[in-house]
Amino acid sequence: MKRIILLLLIVCLCPVPFMYAANDVVGLYQVPAVVLVGILAVALIVVIYNLWMRHVFQRKELRLLREHNKLLENMPVFYAQVRVILDKDGVVDDMKITTGNELFKKLFQPVGPYKNFNNRIWKDDTSFIRAVQRVLDENHSVSYNYHHDRSGVSFEVLIRPTSERCVIDIFGSDTTRLHKMEDQLRAANEKLTLALDMAHLIPWRWDLEKRTITFDSHYRMTLRRWENGQRQQGTHVYPVSECMDCVCPEDMEKVRKNYEDLISGRKHVVTEEFRITSYENGTPYINWVEVRAVAEKPGEDGKVKFLIGSLQVITKRKNEQLELIRAKERAEEADRLKSAFLANMSHEIRTPLNAIVGFSSILASTENPDDRKEYASIIENNSQLLLQLINDILDLAKIEAGTMDFFYAPVDVNELMTEMKNLFVKRVHPGVTLEMVTGVSSCYMSTDRNRLSQVLINLLTNAVKFTDKGSITFGYKLRGSEIYFYVADTGCGIPKDKQHLIFDRFVKLNTFVQGTGLGLPICQHIVDKMDGHIGVDSEVGEGSTFWFTLPYHSVKPETPSVSVLSQSSSGNGQRVKLLVAEDNESNYRLFYSILHAQYDLIHAWNGREAVELFQKHHPDLILMDLNMPEMDGYEAVRQIRRYSSQVPVIAVTAYAYAVDEQRVMSSGFNGYLSKPINVGKLNEMIVEKLSKNSK
């Protein structure tokens, strides 16, 4: 600038002396010198002014540049200019920073004058390397997101090419706050998603104009042909007709009514439960859903354009509600059955008890032997009915408690059938024949003899009740791996519409026939527990055939017991002595009435006295009650066995379960009889045990 001003002054002042000289010597110029000097002065002033204005403009530009640089330095944007070094294949090999603003320096702090840029900052950032390669290859700007771990700052980075080959500009705007807000929004969405997921809620939006329903994608449902739905920005969109096809036809009317209530404005919010058909791997199943819906504010035309709401799958809850309803119904039914049971038991117990009490009172005053015999027979028959009733009640209690036990052993089926015939041959009505049919000449199977007998006795008892003429036929057939038992009669028969009820508790098709309505249900339970099946075939007026099947496993027969003869004397010719341990006087009087004619009886009132009397009298056989004061029967037998292991001891108890018999036989006893005492069985067992002990 100084050189230019000096040059202009020289140019302007040099002509002045020449003009004076010319004017004096030659006289050619007539213009005064002062005029020329003035012109030159003006020109000089103009030049100096222009030069000054240019200097002022440059200073202004420099100030603006400084302010711009200061603004650039203070902005949350880092900037760097980088020279990229390529290998022979044109692939980015290294990068050198040529310049960078303060924010860039502060963030990345390269060593020295921007050395080792690639190694220190971007070495592990492959996305940056790929972005730089794209910028150089395609010659256009590329942006990507970058997170600086050390500072925790996030940037949106823009890489752009420059006019110079292999030189790029890098800009990075601070998006930390935006990323934090996005993270918070993402966390809130995750919590909302978790809450919706835990509540099994499915958000939806119904577009009434487009006739589509949009579901949140995270809560997709397995409705029919869901693959037809379109994915749009994290949601699934389905035609309304597609969704309505999934509603069960029985519930479609209430869905339609709720829809019309919302559209018409009669209701602002609706909540409804209905069923839909869902699919899993192509297999349909029914789901219960609860839908809440609200209509958005109508548009300017007054029409509702959107319905929004939530859908919740409530199948589990609905099943639990239905189960509670069923449980309530079962409880009410149980209460009804209990009342029916008590009323029925009152009637059934009083009926045989009336005969027993009545004929017992007149038996003592009757002198006619035939009448006494008849009355005794009536008392015995009603006693058996009462005993059967009590046994049914006990069996029902065991079924309810799940404690009915089964003990399997070899059973001679033919022998059992013969016992059944002998038991019922005198019970059938006059004119009715009882026939037994055996499948094979010899049949042994592993089963519970008592339970098998119980089922047969119940079926034969029913046949005797309802057969006034004709015949009753019972028997069995072998059918491969199962055995088929049947009881056929020519009685009144059972209507087809009532046959499914006869195995229910307390069901009596004829209320004028004695019975509790428990026999057949107990039979069904026993047969089911023994892995069998039970059923009935019947025609009204033609008779009935009750049958049941059991698994058949042939076994070898047990060694037959030695037959014994009745005896009332010991080996030395003296009468046999029996020790009866019984704390109830009436029960002892019964034993005395049955046995005193044949045996010498010794009475002990409790277990301790029984041990003392045994040591004193050395009886040939002991009848031992189990439940006695001071010392029970189990402890008494343990002490008696210290003195003798040979004397037979028969347990006589009111405990009648099979598990009680098992305990008795494993506690040192030789036999077991349950109360009430059967006179025939008592005599047979005494004779048998005395005979075995005498050998």
Side-chain angles (χ1 to χ4, degrees):
M1 176 63 68
K2 293 180 180 180
R3 292 178 181 178
I4 295 174
I5 295 174
L6 180 59
L7 181 61
L8 290 175
L9 289 174
I10 294 172
V11 170
C12 293
L13 295 176
C14 282
V16 174
F18 291 102
M19 286 189 296
Y20 280 105
N23 189 35
D24 293 337
V25 178
V26 183
L28 297 176
Y29 297 98
Q30 300 299 318
V31 180
V34 68
V35 175
L36 293 176
V37 172
I39 293 172
L40 291 174
V42 171
L44 180 60
I45 291 171
V46 171
V47 171
I48 292 173
Y49 176 77
N50 289 333
L51 291 175
W52 174 254
M53 292 303 296
R54 181 177 177 183
H55 173 68
V56 171
F57 179 76
Q58 287 178 346
R59 289 188 62 185
K60 185 177 180 180
E61 283 188 339
L62 183 60
R63 181 175 57 81
L64 291 175
L65 182 60
R66 288 196 186 99
E67 292 178 354
H68 174 75
N69 289 337
K70 185 177 180 180
L71 179 63
L72 184 62
E73 293 291 344
N74 294 330
M75 286 181 64
V77 176
F78 70 76
Y79 164 75
Q81 190 174 79
V82 177
R83 181 174 297 277
V84 182
I85 301 173
L86 305 177
D87 61 11
K88 60 180 181 178
D89 297 323
V91 178
V92 176
D93 183 55
D94 195 4
M95 284 179 279
K96 303 295 183 182
I97 300 177
T98 59
T99 186
N101 64 358
E102 290 298 324
L103 180 58
F104 180 82
K105 298 174 184 178
K106 180 179 178 181
L107 287 173
F108 303 106
Q109 296 180 352
V111 178
Y114 308 114
K115 293 180 179 179
N116 302 322
F117 174 79
N118 185 49
N119 293 334
R120 289 184 56 82
I121 303 175
W122 309 105
K123 182 176 181 180
D124 298 326
D125 195 346
T126 56
S127 59
F128 173 74
I129 302 298
R130 288 195 300 268
V132 170
Q133 190 72 52
R134 284 185 56 194
V135 170
L136 296 178
D137 294 342
E138 301 173 9
N139 198 32
H140 66 75
S141 300
V142 173
S143 63
Y144 81 106
N145 293 321
Y146 170 72
H147 179 74
H148 189 246
D149 294 330
R150 187 174 62 187
S151 63
V153 180
S154 298
F155 293 94
E156 183 175 356
V157 178
L158 174 66
I159 306 174
R160 59 183 299 275
T162 63
S163 57
E164 186 178 355
R165 175 64 178 166
C166 295
V167 176
I168 57 174
D169 289 331
I170 302 176
F171 300 90
S173 60
D174 189 348
T175 58
T176 304
R177 185 177 180 183
L178 176 61
H179 278 275
K180 288 182 178 180
M181 293 178 63
E182 289 178 349
D183 290 341
Q184 292 175 356
L185 180 60
R186 189 180 301 108
N189 286 335
E190 289 177 355
K191 292 179 181 179
L192 178 61
T193 298
L194 180 60
L196 293 175
D197 193 26
M198 294 295 294
H200 302 287
L201 287 175
I202 304 173
W204 56 267
R205 181 183 176 91
W206 185 340
D207 190 326
L208 299 178
E209 293 182 349
K210 296 181 180 179
R211 299 190 60 79
T212 58
I213 299 180
T214 303
F215 291 88
D216 187 281
S217 61
H218 186 71
Y219 302 98
R220 290 188 61 194
M221 293 187 59
T222 53
L223 301 182
R224 186 179 305 168
R225 297 188 300 276
W226 273 112
E227 59 270 17
N228 294 339
Q230 299 178 358
R231 182 75 176 268
Q232 294 183 0
Q233 296 181 350
T235 60
H236 290 273
V237 183
Y238 303 95
V240 172
S241 59
E242 182 85 7
C243 299
M244 291 299 109
D245 286 344
C246 297
V247 180
C248 291
E250 298 86 350
D251 298 331
M252 181 59 73
E253 182 58 32
K254 60 182 178 182
V255 173
R256 184 180 294 108
K257 183 179 183 304
N258 281 286
Y259 168 79
E260 292 174 353
D261 289 343
L262 282 175
I263 297 302
S264 62
R266 289 192 296 267
K267 291 183 178 180
H268 299 290
V269 180
V270 297
T271 301
E272 189 60 77
E273 296 178 359
F274 55 89
R275 290 159 293 179
I276 61 173
T277 303
S278 301
Y279 289 81
E280 185 172 352
N281 298 326
T283 303
Y285 61 94
I286 299 299
N287 256 333
W288 276 94
V289 295
E290 181 182 73
V291 174
R292 291 182 172 86
V294 61
E296 284 193 352
K297 186 178 180 181
E300 296 179 356
D301 55 359
K303 294 183 179 180
V304 176
K305 297 182 179 180
F306 295 98
L307 299 179
I308 58 175
S310 64
L311 182 149
Q312 184 178 20
V313 179
I314 60 170
T315 304
K316 182 179 179 181
R317 186 181 79 190
K318 202 69 178 179
N319 290 338
E320 291 174 349
Q321 290 177 352
L322 294 176
E323 184 58 33
L324 287 175
I325 293 173
R326 286 193 289 266
K328 177 176 177 291
E329 292 174 349
R330 287 195 298 267
E332 292 174 347
E333 179 66 10
D335 185 64
R336 185 191 67 80
L337 291 177
K338 181 189 71 173
S339 300
F341 171 77
L342 293 175
N344 196 29
M345 287 304 102
S346 176
H347 174 269
E348 295 300 330
I349 290 174
R350 290 176 181 275
T351 299
L353 195 59
N354 178 64
I356 294 171
V357 173
F359 283 102
S360 296
S361 64
I362 65 176
L363 183 62
S365 61
T366 301
E367 300 294 339
N368 190 319
D370 293 335
D371 289 343
R372 292 174 65 88
K373 184 177 181 181
E374 181 184 357
Y375 296 161
S377 176
I378 293 173
I379 292 173
E380 182 180 1
N381 289 336
N382 282 274
S383 297
Q384 292 296 326
L385 289 173
L386 187 59
L387 180 60
Q388 181 62 45
L389 175 62
I390 294 173
N391 287 334
D392 285 346
I393 295 173
L394 292 176
D395 284 336
L396 178 63
K398 287 186 285 186
I399 290 173
E400 292 290 343
T403 58
M404 180 172 278
D405 299 308
F406 294 82
F407 299 94
Y408 288 79
V411 176
D412 185 345
V413 180
N414 287 341
E415 180 184 355
L416 180 62
M417 290 291 143
T418 303
E419 290 180 5
M420 294 297 108
K421 183 175 181 180
N422 294 335
L423 181 63
F424 283 91
V425 68
K426 295 181 181 180
R427 296 188 184 181
V428 296
H429 295 285
V432 178
T433 60
L434 180 65
E435 299 179 5
M436 179 186 71
V437 179
T438 56
V440 291
S441 59
S442 178
C443 179
Y444 289 84
M445 65 179 293
S446 177
T447 188
D448 188 319
R449 180 187 178 90
N450 292 336
R451 298 305 178 191
L452 178 57
S453 300
Q454 186 176 355
V455 176
L456 290 171
I457 289 172
N458 272 313
L459 298 183
L460 285 167
T461 300
N462 285 342
V464 170
K465 286 181 185 178
F466 296 99
T467 305
D468 296 327
K469 59 182 179 179
S471 63
I472 298 174
T473 304
F474 71 99
Y476 70 91
K477 298 176 184 178
L478 295 181
R479 294 182 174 179
S481 61
E482 69 177 15
I483 183 170
Y484 172 86
F485 294 92
Y486 63 93
V487 177
D489 63 64
T490 58
C492 58
I494 305 172
K496 292 290 185 183
D497 59 338
K498 301 290 181 63
Q499 291 181 12
H500 68 285
L501 299 175
I502 59 174
F503 290 101
D504 293 340
R505 297 176 185 177
F506 311 113
V507 172
K508 293 178 62 177
L509 300 184
N510 188 342
T511 58
F512 297 100
V513 177
Q514 280 189 330
T516 62
L518 295 175
L520 289 177
I522 291 173
C523 289
Q524 184 181 43
H525 180 81
I526 291 173
V527 172
D528 289 343
K529 286 293 184 179
M530 297 173 73
D531 297 326
H533 302 280
I534 190 170
V536 61
D537 301 316
S538 182
E539 293 286 343
V540 176
E542 302 264 335
S544 305
T545 299
F546 283 85
W547 55 266
F548 65 95
T549 62
L550 295 176
Y552 174 70
H553 304 289
S554 178
V555 295
K556 295 181 180 180
E558 291 184 332
T559 304
S561 59
V562 179
S563 60
V564 295
L565 299 175
S566 176
Q567 64 180 53
S568 60
S569 61
S570 59
N572 56 14
Q574 297 179 351
R575 280 166 60 91
V576 173
K577 289 185 291 186
L578 302 184
L579 174 60
V580 180
E582 173 62 63
D583 65 316
N584 185 281
E585 184 176 359
S586 298
N587 288 338
Y588 174 72
R589 290 295 300 172
L590 177 61
F591 284 120
Y592 181 82
S593 300
I594 298 170
L595 302 173
H596 80 281
Q598 292 179 285
Y599 308 102
D600 288 336
L601 301 182
I602 304 168
H603 182 206
W605 290 95
N606 53 62
R608 189 180 305 282
E609 188 177 356
V611 176
E612 295 173 354
L613 291 176
F614 173 78
Q615 292 177 286
K616 181 178 180 180
H617 297 284
H618 303 288
D620 299 292
L621 184 140
I622 302 173
L623 297 175
M624 182 73 72
D625 188 21
L626 295 181
N627 190 16
M628 293 183 295
E630 296 192 31
M631 183 184 293
D632 63 17
Y634 292 107
E635 181 60 29
V637 169
R638 278 194 292 271
Q639 295 194 19
I640 288 172
R641 288 304 179 206
R642 297 175 184 175
Y643 305 105
S644 173
S645 61
Q646 301 299 321
V647 61
V649 183
I650 299 174
V652 183
T653 178
Y655 296 111
Y657 292 163
V659 65
D660 299 316
E661 182 177 359
Q662 294 293 318
R663 182 187 176 191
V664 166
M665 298 308 292
S666 63
S667 300
F669 292 86
N670 302 96
Y672 170 87
L673 286 173
S674 62
K675 297 178 182 179
I677 297 299
N678 183 291
V679 177
K681 286 185 178 181
L682 175 61
N683 283 319
E684 288 177 4
M685 185 170 291
I686 291 174
V687 171
E688 177 187 355
K689 300 306 177 184
L690 289 173
S691 176
K692 287 184 178 181
N693 194 46
S694 65
K695 292 184 180 296

